[in-house]
Amino acid sequence: MIETSAALGPTPGGPLLVLAILAPVAGILLSFALGGRFAERVALALTPIGLALALAIAFLVWRSGAPVVYDVAGLAPPLGIALRADGISCVMLITAALIIAAAGFYARANFATPQGVKEARAPLAFWIMLQAIWAALTILFVGGDLFNLYVALELLTFAAVPLVCLSGRPETLVAALRYLLFALFGSVFYLLGAALLYGAYGTLDIVLLAERVRPLPAVWLAAGLMTAGLLAKTALFPLHLWLPPAHANAPAAASAVLSGLVVKGSFFLAVRLWFYVLPALPGGAAEAMLGTLGAAAILFGSVLALRQPRLKLLIAYSTLAQIGYLFLIFPLASGLHVWTADGWSGGLMQTLSHAFAKAAMFLSAGLIAESLGHDRIAEFTGAGRAMPTTFLALGLGGLSLMGLPPSGGFAAKWLLLRASVASGQWFFASVMLAGGLLAAGYVFRILAPALAENPVVLKAPPKRSREGVALALALVAVALGFAPQEFFDFLRIGRQAATALP
């Protein structure tokens, strides 16, 4: 039986969940009120506070071995709203805090308010939207009500879309409008599904729904609508058309956040939906379909990445491929089997390693484009010798995407491979192996010319501090490969009870 927040009651540390949400919200209000260059100072000052709150919540969950629960205003569901942080919530909160901080410090060079100007449009918009994305992600990771998660999803969309078109160029406006169109269709589908569930059971609380949901036609329709909406927001093949132009045309710091975090928000909600709200559904066919779409995304995205002439487009199509690995969690981590623990751990490790690796690669791509004046891969000859730290960060991120040891990407793909072999789902195993070879091909396309002995004149050498930010993210992606078993046990806190359902 799934534990209910009513049965658990408020737990120690619950107010920290509220503070984690209020910190970026307060930052947004202060940035609006103070304006100008104060927006940057507020956003950067809040990053250590947000990280400290995320670490404190994770410590409480680890120490108690159970989720931290907080009933807003003291009212338990269904009358009130519960916030809930379990193992996967905590690791995503920490990941978001680290990547937001990295993107913020990296972006100071591009989005500082110019001297002699009281306030500039692009810098003010960037810092406010960055904090809005952080607030939305925090609500998504700790929210316990499907309607409030919808509100967070909308806030995430309307904060992310402006980051795509900050430059105001025509192609960025087209990319942003396409992103918005897909996101709005996804929102409509999700909201229709949530309305059906509310009509059937009178609540949208995740824990209460999990106790009441039965395989009825209305529930299946709701599950289909909500899943389709979330797939559109996550850009899973074939609903991916908005992602490559949006991620490739956004500023480098924005691309790192969009690829590393924003697409993870809707994927995280899909995991919540199927593993926490709908575990009572016999979802074999639905899980196989999601896995098959993920496998198609791996192959399709990798092949297209191989064909791209520009670095940022290549990395964007690589995101499409790596998203495919995430959705293998559905056929490989469902039910009560020996191999589902590997599928669960592998899918979540892929989520984390991809977030850090892809953020590092987009930041590195931004430095390359600024230093060379372009990001055309064919003209990278010798650039690696002129910018060794930048290309080291890019290469380490690529190492994780390929799944080579000792990276987090290797740990993720190894666990997913073990689960697919143990479950007899050899198709997914073969696709993962093919995807790794294709990833090696497009990473080689970048690094091979860059390491050639050819003198390159840089327009401006990259700042060491910005290179250090990209390298630090890449090293985290590699370090995840050394995660101990206790880390994977932590990821299952709050999940064990759910897996006990028939």
Side-chain angles (χ1 to χ4, degrees):
M1 194 70 172
I2 294 183
E3 58 202 5
T4 68
S5 59
L8 287 173
T11 56
L16 289 176
L17 303 180
V18 179
L19 290 176
I21 296 171
L22 290 181
V25 171
I28 296 169
L29 297 176
L30 276 174
S31 299
F32 270 120
L34 300 176
R37 56 189 79 251
F38 286 101
E40 172 190 345
R41 296 170 185 171
V42 169
L44 295 178
L46 282 174
T47 54
I49 297 173
L51 178 59
L53 288 169
L55 290 171
I57 294 167
F59 174 76
L60 290 173
V61 172
W62 170 78
R63 187 179 64 178
S64 65
V68 171
V69 179
Y70 181 77
D71 296 331
V72 178
L75 295 174
L79 295 177
I81 299 170
L83 303 178
R84 185 174 184 267
D86 54 11
I88 62 173
S89 299
C90 292
V91 295
M92 293 307 298
L93 286 173
I94 294 170
T95 299
L98 290 173
I99 292 178
I100 290 286
F105 283 100
Y106 175 96
R108 294 176 67 190
N110 301 111
F111 292 102
T113 304
Q115 293 295 329
V117 177
K118 184 178 180 181
E119 187 173 284
R121 177 191 61 84
L124 183 64
F126 175 82
W127 295 111
I128 290 176
M129 293 303 117
L130 188 67
Q131 294 172 87
I133 286 175
W134 194 2
L137 287 170
T138 303
I139 299 171
L140 274 174
F141 297 148
V142 303
D145 179 275
L146 291 179
F147 181 76
N148 287 281
L149 291 175
Y150 162 77
V151 175
L153 208 56
E154 290 307 278
L155 175 60
L156 186 63
T157 296
F158 288 110
V161 168
L163 291 183
V164 175
C165 56
L166 280 176
S167 67
R169 292 180 286 118
E171 58 268 30
T172 64
L173 292 173
V174 171
L177 287 173
R178 182 181 297 175
Y179 180 7
L180 182 62
L181 183 64
F182 271 81
L184 289 178
F185 273 111
S187 299
V188 170
F189 283 10
Y190 178 92
L191 190 57
L192 286 173
L196 284 171
L197 287 178
Y198 185 78
Y201 297 105
T203 182
L204 289 176
D205 180 75
I206 288 175
V207 174
L208 294 180
L209 277 175
E211 294 176 341
R212 302 176 184 180
V213 162
R214 295 295 178 265
L216 304 175
V219 174
W220 279 111
L221 179 58
L225 288 170
M226 296 174 78
T227 303
L230 293 171
L231 297 191
K233 286 180 174 288
T234 311
L236 181 67
F237 175 87
L239 303 175
H240 66 281
L241 298 178
W242 64 266
L243 186 147
H247 289 198
N249 286 297
S255 297
V257 173
L258 293 172
S259 181
L261 294 176
V262 172
V263 296
K264 305 300 190 306
S266 47
F267 168 74
F268 182 91
L269 189 44
V271 170
R272 280 280 192 236
L273 179 67
W274 281 98
F275 288 98
Y276 292 81
V277 179
L278 307 173
L281 295 188
E287 292 152 2
M289 182 190 70
L290 290 172
T292 302
L293 290 177
I298 293 170
L299 299 176
F300 184 79
S302 298
V303 170
L304 285 181
L306 275 169
R307 302 176 57 186
Q308 299 309 309
R310 288 178 48 213
L311 178 58
K312 285 196 73 176
L313 267 176
L314 184 152
I315 299 173
Y317 276 104
S318 167
T319 298
L320 170 62
Q322 296 297 315
I323 285 172
Y325 287 98
L326 301 181
F327 281 85
L328 298 184
I329 194 174
F330 293 98
L332 297 179
S334 299
L336 289 173
H337 306 284
V338 175
W339 41 266
T340 53
D342 282 343
W344 179 256
S345 298
L348 295 175
M349 177 59 82
Q350 172 66 14
T351 306
L352 301 176
S353 64
H354 174 261
F356 287 104
K358 195 52 64 73
M361 294 182 77
F362 268 118
L363 296 185
S364 300
L367 293 175
I368 292 168
E370 291 176 11
S371 298
L372 297 180
H374 64 84
D375 68 343
R376 294 184 293 275
I377 298 171
E379 299 176 32
F380 280 0
T381 308
R385 297 179 179 272
M387 306 171 63
T389 306
T390 299
F391 276 90
L392 175 60
L394 188 68
L396 288 176
L399 180 83
S400 189
L401 297 190
M402 287 185 279
L404 292 181
S407 65
F410 168 76
K413 293 172 176 63
W414 174 250
L415 289 167
L416 290 171
L417 276 170
R418 278 176 42 175
S420 61
V421 171
S423 63
Q425 301 180 74
W426 291 93
F427 170 70
F428 297 130
S430 61
V431 168
M432 282 187 275
L433 293 174
L437 293 174
L438 291 169
Y442 59 70
V443 172
F444 178 80
R445 273 196 62 213
I446 301 169
L447 298 181
L451 298 178
E453 294 187 11
N454 187 54
V456 172
V457 178
L458 302 178
K459 294 180 65 176
K463 291 184 178 180
R464 295 292 185 188
S465 59
R466 303 177 82 199
E467 286 187 312
V469 169
L471 183 58
L473 291 174
L475 289 174
V476 173
V478 173
L480 284 170
F482 297 94
Q485 180 59 42
E486 290 76 9
F487 175 76
F488 298 106
D489 295 337
F490 182 80
L491 292 176
R492 288 194 288 273
I493 292 178
R495 160 97 174 115
Q496 293 93 331
T499 56
L501 284 170

